[in-house]
Amino acid sequence: MADIAKFVEEIKSMTVLELNELVKAIEEEFGVSAAAPVMVAGAGAAAPAAEEKTEFDVVLKSAGVNKINVIKVVKEATGLGLKEAKAMVDEAPKTIKEGVSKDDAEALKTKLTEAGAEVELK
């Protein structure tokens, strides 16, 4: 470890040109590259990342084994009657709510997940 500490101190006193030569020598000796990895993305992928999504759709992917509990949560969240809520759960995958805020979407997702459903936010 003392040798490494000594080497680091020597590097601190090097000029930029000497550091560049050191990097090239290490690359050649060990067959590695000091270049930072670059992620390649499609042209359309960069634009949506810059803007944070504010509205979400809550999609029920499946009701799971506790279907009755999921129907109760859907009924409460949508204000539908029992028959309509049951039909919505039976037709999964189905959008439960559209254009809700992130906090509301996360809260509904949590309630549905706790009831046994599989939920996705879009």
Side-chain angles (χ1 to χ4, degrees), residues 50-111:
E51 174 180 321
E52 186 176 337
K53 191 172 181 179
T54 58
E55 291 186 348
F56 294 87
D57 295 342
V58 180
V59 179
L60 176 68
K61 292 178 77 177
S62 85
V65 294
N66 296 322
K67 190 174 177 181
I68 294 172
N69 292 336
V70 175
I71 292 170
K72 288 178 184 178
V73 173
V74 170
K75 182 179 180 285
E76 176 188 317
T78 60
L80 296 173
L82 182 60
K83 183 178 179 181
E84 292 84 7
K86 181 184 180 304
M88 187 176 273
V89 171
D90 287 340
E91 296 170 1
K94 186 82 171 173
T95 301
I96 302 298
K97 283 213 161 188
E98 294 180 339
V100 295
S101 70
K102 184 176 184 175
D103 292 336
D104 291 342
E106 287 290 339
L108 181 54
K109 179 181 179 183
T110 301
K111 284 181 183 179

